[in-house]
Amino acid sequence: MRAVEAATTPLLPADYLDLFAPLRSGADLRGRIVSVHAETADAATIVIRPGADWAGHVPGQYIRVGIDVDGVRQWRAYSLTHGPRADGHISITVKAVPDGKVSNHLVHHAVPGTLVHLEQATGDFVLPDDLSSRKLLFVTAGSGVTPVIGMLRNLFPVTDEGVLMRGFETPRSSAPQPPTGGTRGSAAPQPPTDETRGSSAPQPLTDETRGSSAPQPPTEGTRGSAAPQPPTEGTDITVVHVAPSEPDSIFIRNLRELDEAGAINLVARYDDEHGVLDVSDLAGLVPDLVERTTYACGPGGLLDALGKHHEERGLELFTEQFRPVTVAAGEGGTVTLEKSGVSVELDGSTTILDAAEEAGVLMPSGCRMGICMGCVLPMREGAVRDLRNGEITTATPGETNAGGVSIQTCISAPAGPCHIDH
Amino acid sequence: MTTITRKPENPTAHLTPEDIEQIGIELDAIRQDVIDSRGASDAAYIRKVVDVQRKLELGSRAVLLASVFPPAWVAGTLGLSVAKILENMEIGHNVMHGQWDWMRDPKIHSTTWEWDNASTAEGWKHSHNQVHHTYTNIVGKDNDLGYGIMRVDEDQRWSPFLLGQPLWNFVNACFFEYGIAAYDLELGKNLRIPKQKRSDAFKRNAKNTLNKIRKQATKDYVVHPALSIPTGSFLPTLAANFTANLVRNLWTHSVIMCGHFPEGVETFEKKAIPANETRGEWYVRQMLGSANISGSRAMHLMTGNLSFQIEHHLFPDLPSNRYAEVAPKVQALFEKYDLNYHSASLPKQVASAWHKIVRLSLPNGWLAETNVKNAPKQVALLYKLSTGGPKVRRAYDAMQRRAENQKRETVAA
């Protein structure tokens, strides 16, 4: 290998191999869009053929996808909406949200053949290995249904013929096991030990996060001919699905079919019909609540209430939180230099470089006028304003590049709190 | 040429401070137009260039495996030369300017790029992006004015050593990448410092550069020739790689000379630049301190769009593929404010730059004053200036300057 590198320096052999086989084993993880199924006018399922090093996933997990929109690499996290498929493809279902840069691109402009960048599946919102004779309750709200639909489709192959699993007899036995090392942290096939995930966890499923809880219409395109097959052993699943209204209810047709086939017991709750769900009513909706293990996914408010409710009653709860993160651009803010351990409070007109140097931090710098790129540092989180033209650059963990977004500190002022890797 | 403030007629004298600020505003608007319309087609452009360049390099190196056959040698050497030129000019130079950073693609980013060159990306970004682009054409601050080994401005002091500068310049052109590496390290200045007193930064940079040179040389002069051994093409491949590097050096050197050296490009006095130079003033300095090369699209591509040196210096971080569309707007602005938009063909600019290097290898005014009739007298004067020491040269300089002032007064009258 060293010898090959000597022949390609200053590039790496991979830089040349990528020209011909970007999905090969050993390459950075990428995928190619195989098909885009329009689900409704503003939602689509994107089927992706992942690269050779794709380590597989467990239903309920999510992936980060990097896609170039208007030439700019954007990263977003989406739930995988299929269990492991026989054809080895993976899928995400995306709803175009108003002003959503990535979601609109994926739904309306993504074309088969496009290369996308991927990270291995992650997330510990997954079912236990042994489901036989277990009683489960899924509580989902809004797009919180997406990881759950991945689990249900895996258990009951209503969606397409590519699904491997047929009931509960051999759950996940032939599905690829997720890796334990690499870029994945907490992902493991067993349920999480913490009852709720910390708030520092990445935000799955969100596109532009404000729109993340926006309802999605039911899917059509992904449904295949396979009939629902009830579990052969005594697993008992109730799904309490909450949505603003019935037409806005995501995947409602899938859920109904499962309900009609006897695979699940669906309790659909619509705000416009039944009023906003009060968790204390849950026992009324699900009479055998105390016997069930609850998996909940939805907005933070619901999960907090559910956590309190279950804790008081000593019930088992696993949650996946959709934490809406919006980087609101303002004027000035606190700049945190993470490695230096320095925080400075700034107005909207002082450059980060000047302020950090003032605070005694040794900063990389150059021309101090934005032309030499000598001061570029990664911003992990936050928003800055380009003082030359007012342009805002934001970095949202879990959405932008894993390493952060590079900013020029000499022409950038904070537009809100920002964290810089320096 | 002499610095703008010492000229008989300052080409910016007719501009009011308001004009200069207005120029800044108008150029900012041109820049913003491009920024607002950067998008997928620009990204596709640079990816395409990278793709073509890498495939051309691979193909050429493959052909060179059989370079014992003359046609293969010629084709492979030609392809490799073009690939290396593209790599340095349209890709490396521009990526390291951050022109493609907006794509947020870590593989095409100023912070991660390393180029096929003797100088390290880090060192080059400092000496080129920071020093040269910030202090463009300020005598004494911009080392690109002669790279520290040549005199390219009347206001740089003449010494007998400079008589050889046409020769140095030619040698520098042949080994340009090493010249640039030495220049980035400020090798001349640092070697004069006693070894133990040299800065840690210099030692680190020198180590990195040597490491880079070793890797580069191993690739071109060991690994690839060795791969050609099975066909008996060791020596031909070695020669091909050397030739490709030579061609690339000569080409890039010529293009880069055209950027700031042709006659008529303005230079600036350090003391005439205000400490708080405004954006408008900075723009005007870039406008007058650069020169373009006219030509075809292929020419622009092969020069890394440095044929649009004026536009590049105004907007060093705009994607290179957009300079062509910006150029007419910039030129219109020059006309509006009655400034000289310096553009000519490559042969003209190269000849002009070489003329200046020859002219300034001699004392100020010497070449202009020499004709067949006074040649012996002038040679004698040159001998006297070369051997007479600094005092004699200062006296000559003062005499030249008096003559210059007289001329200026005549013009004013």
Side-chain angles (χ1 to χ4, degrees):
Chain A
M1 200 59 202
R2 294 263 310 266
V4 184
E5 277 174 22
T8 60
T9 189
L11 298 177
L12 293 172
D15 292 319
Y16 290 97
L17 292 171
D18 282 352
L19 298 176
F20 305 102
L23 302 185
R24 73 188 192 285
S25 174
D28 291 349
L29 190 61
R30 304 182 181 95
R32 209 178 273 291
I33 296 178
V34 174
S35 57
V36 179
H37 303 289
E39 301 284 359
T40 64
D42 60 357
T45 291
I46 321 287
V47 181
I48 297 166
R49 178 163 73 90
D53 289 344
W54 171 250
H57 73 284
V58 176
Q61 291 191 314
Y62 61 91
I63 51 166
R64 287 184 7 98
V65 182
I67 183 155
D68 295 338
V69 181
D70 296 333
V72 182
R73 180 84 33 94
Q74 305 278 358
W75 286 88
R76 294 290 186 274
Y78 292 102
S79 276
L80 289 152
T81 46
H82 278 119
R85 293 161 48 125
D87 59 9
H89 296 166
I90 55 176
S91 76
I92 53 176
T93 302
V94 182
K95 147 106 175 153
V97 298
D99 302 324
K101 208 181 274 176
V102 179
S103 65
N104 276 290
H105 177 84
L106 283 170
V107 172
H108 301 298
H109 305 294
V111 287
T114 304
L115 206 60
V116 295
H117 301 263
L118 300 176
E119 281 179 11
Q120 297 288 359
T122 188
D124 45 19
F125 188 66
V126 295
L127 294 174
D129 273 335
D130 181 16
L131 284 175
S132 56
S133 306
R134 298 273 305 248
K135 296 185 92 172
L136 304 178
L137 168 64
F138 292 110
V139 179
T140 65
S143 57
V145 73
T146 47
V148 170
I149 208 74
M151 295 176 185
L152 293 174
R153 283 171 165 182
N154 193 47
L155 297 173
F156 313 104
V158 293
T159 54
D160 63 56
E161 289 164 302
V163 174
L164 286 171
M165 301 293 112
R166 296 249 163 199
F168 287 140
E169 302 92 335
T170 53
R172 244 181 270 127
S173 59
S174 57
Q177 289 298 303
T180 48
T183 55
R184 302 187 32 194
S186 60
Q190 64 273 14
T193 47
D194 295 341
E195 290 223 328
T196 50
R197 295 174 45 185
S199 60
S200 63
Q203 300 75 47
L205 308 165
T206 60
D207 183 1
E208 280 65 24
T209 47
R210 210 170 323 137
S212 65
S213 58
Q216 286 186 303
T219 62
E220 281 164 6
T222 55
R223 295 173 45 226
S225 55
Q229 296 199 346
T232 52
E233 291 179 49
T235 306
D236 178 347
I237 297 176
T238 293
V239 178
V240 174
H241 179 56
V242 185
S245 68
E246 186 169 351
D248 283 344
S249 193
I250 306 172
F251 292 127
I252 191 64
R253 289 172 71 163
N254 274 181
L255 294 173
R256 279 225 195 86
E257 281 175 352
L258 289 164
D259 182 51
E260 281 157 18
I264 63 169
N265 171 33
L266 176 66
V267 181
R269 295 277 310 183
Y270 305 112
D271 296 350
D272 63 349
E273 226 176 282
H274 309 103
V276 175
L277 178 75
D278 182 346
V279 288
S280 56
D281 295 344
L282 208 56
L285 296 170
V286 186
D288 52 358
L289 179 67
V290 292
E291 296 165 34
R292 294 179 182 274
T293 302
T294 307
Y295 288 81
C297 184
L302 173 73
L303 298 186
D304 290 347
L306 210 55
K308 208 171 152 215
H309 173 271
H310 275 50
E311 199 184 337
E312 281 166 5
R313 290 161 183 78
L315 302 177
E316 214 178 358
L317 173 70
F318 300 103
T319 61
E320 179 89 316
Q321 186 167 2
F322 288 13
R323 186 164 61 99
V325 270
T326 44
V327 179
E331 280 287 329
T334 307
V335 175
T336 307
L337 300 163
E338 289 175 345
K339 284 184 197 143
S340 318
V342 169
S343 284
V344 273
E345 184 73 34
L346 286 190
D347 59 26
S349 59
T350 309
T351 68
I352 291 170
L353 176 61
D354 285 343
E357 285 180 341
E358 190 76 8
V361 180
L362 190 60
M363 297 284 284
S365 69
C367 67
R368 310 187 84 94
M369 59 192 298
I371 59 168
C372 84
M373 308 291 150
C375 65
V376 173
L377 286 176
M379 172 169 66
R380 295 249 178 245
E381 186 176 352
V384 293
R385 178 176 281 106
D386 183 333
L387 290 174
R388 296 170 300 180
N389 57 14
E391 212 157 88
I392 299 284
T393 301
T394 59
T396 313
E399 295 208 342
T400 33
N401 292 15
V405 174
S406 298
I407 58 156
Q408 293 170 269
T409 60
C410 78
I411 43 92
S412 295
C418 41
H419 293 255
I420 293 180
D421 186 13
H422 180 65
Chain B
M1 179 174 62
T2 183
T3 50
I4 198 165
T5 32
R6 291 185 179 204
K7 284 194 151 183
E9 226 179 337
N10 184 334
T12 61
H14 63 289
L15 297 177
T16 65
E18 291 74 32
D19 284 341
I20 291 173
E21 290 323 293
Q22 188 56 31
I23 288 172
I25 291 165
E26 290 183 42
L27 286 171
D28 274 341
I30 293 173
R31 177 176 189 272
Q32 195 59 37
D33 272 352
V34 176
I35 286 180
D36 291 343
S37 59
R38 277 186 315 207
S41 62
D42 300 299
Y45 170 79
I46 189 64
R47 292 217 169 88
K48 182 85 195 163
V49 176
V50 169
D51 188 81
V52 166
Q53 187 277 328
R54 287 183 185 167
K55 283 175 181 165
L56 179 61
E57 186 184 337
L58 274 183
S60 303
R61 293 208 185 266
V63 169
L64 286 174
L65 292 176
S67 53
V68 69
F69 303 108
W73 191 90
V74 172
T77 305
L78 194 68
L80 189 59
S81 303
V82 172
K84 277 180 175 270
I85 287 169
L86 282 177
E87 197 275 347
N88 269 200
M89 305 296 273
E90 182 63 344
I91 306 173
H93 168 267
N94 293 333
V95 169
M96 289 192 287
H97 262 295
Q99 293 183 2
W100 304 100
D101 284 7
W102 57 275
M103 287 161 59
R104 296 186 183 177
D105 180 346
K107 302 238 179 213
I108 308 180
H109 200 276
S110 64
T111 54
T112 59
W113 195 267
E114 188 55 80
W115 62 347
D116 180 63
N117 204 297
S119 53
T120 62
E122 190 197 358
W124 186 83
K125 278 188 283 189
H126 171 77
S127 63
H128 179 85
N129 285 7
Q130 184 186 335
V131 180
H132 167 59
H133 270 271
T134 312
Y135 304 113
T136 311
N137 289 23
I138 299 176
V139 177
K141 282 205 109 170
D142 179 5
N143 291 333
D144 269 37
L145 285 172
Y147 301 110
I149 54 167
M150 289 187 300
R151 190 170 84 110
V152 292
D153 194 278
E154 259 84 359
D155 284 353
Q156 289 171 312
R157 191 162 295 156
W158 183 82
S159 73
F161 165 82
L162 295 167
L163 286 170
Q165 79 174 21
L167 178 66
W168 324 144
N169 195 41
F170 179 70
V171 173
N172 186 34
C174 294
F175 301 98
F176 194 47
E177 59 177 314
Y178 299 103
I180 291 291
Y183 165 73
D184 288 347
L185 289 173
E186 297 189 70
L187 199 61
K189 192 180 104 187
N190 277 294
L191 287 184
R192 280 196 292 275
I193 300 171
K195 209 168 180 180
Q196 60 277 17
K197 282 191 186 160
R198 288 173 200 158
S199 73
D200 288 342
F202 169 75
K203 285 182 208 155
R204 184 174 57 87
N205 294 339
K207 201 176 130 204
N208 290 345
T209 303
L210 284 174
N211 200 20
K212 180 89 191 284
I213 290 174
R214 182 178 55 73
K215 281 185 176 173
Q216 292 288 118
T218 305
K219 173 177 73 166
D220 281 340
Y221 303 129
V222 179
V223 177
H224 286 285
L227 288 171
S228 303
I229 289 175
T231 60
S233 306
F234 180 89
L235 283 177
T237 300
L238 185 77
N241 287 354
F242 179 79
T243 306
N245 282 331
L246 181 68
V247 169
R248 192 249 322 257
N249 285 341
L250 289 170
W251 175 258
T252 54
H253 178 267
S254 297
V255 169
I256 284 157
M257 277 214 310
C258 293
H260 305 288
F261 291 2
E263 303 281 4
V265 174
E266 307 296 349
T267 56
F268 304 85
E269 249 185 314
K270 201 158 40 171
K271 63 172 194 251
I273 306 294
N276 54 346
E277 190 182 32
T278 65
R279 186 141 179 89
E281 288 166 335
W282 181 82
Y283 268 137
V284 170
R285 183 154 56 80
Q286 304 300 330
M287 289 163 86
L288 299 179
S290 311
N292 281 7
I293 303 167
S294 56
S296 64
R297 282 184 68 180
M299 170 70 88
H300 298 315
L301 177 66
M302 292 305 283
T303 60
N305 277 291
L306 291 182
S307 45
F308 295 106
Q309 186 77 238
I310 296 169
E311 288 73 16
H312 172 61
H313 261 267
L314 293 172
F315 315 117
D317 56 353
L318 288 188
S320 57
N321 62 323
R322 305 296 287 274
Y323 288 145
E325 83 182 53
V326 162
K329 296 183 196 172
V330 171
Q331 195 172 352
L333 190 76
F334 271 75
E335 278 160 24
K336 182 173 163 191
Y337 288 96
D338 195 21
L339 296 167
N340 178 31
Y341 188 81
H342 199 312
S343 182
S345 69
L346 183 76
K348 266 195 182 158
Q349 298 288 48
V350 170
S352 177
W354 271 102
H355 179 259
K356 182 189 272 184
I357 281 160
V358 172
R359 177 166 64 82
L360 292 174
S361 69
L362 298 158
N364 288 347
W366 190 91
L367 194 61
E369 286 162 17
T370 304
N371 51 44
V372 180
K373 236 168 78 186
N374 70 1
K377 211 176 100 198
Q378 285 290 94
V379 170
L381 172 67
L382 186 61
Y383 180 78
K384 201 173 129 198
L385 287 171
S386 303
T387 53
K391 218 169 155 185
V392 178
R393 290 197 286 276
R394 273 202 298 274
Y396 177 81
D397 266 350
M399 195 181 79
Q400 288 291 324
R401 193 148 297 151
R402 270 198 304 277
E404 194 73 29
N405 284 342
Q406 242 165 31
K407 212 159 71 187
R408 192 186 316 192
E409 275 156 28
T410 324
V411 170

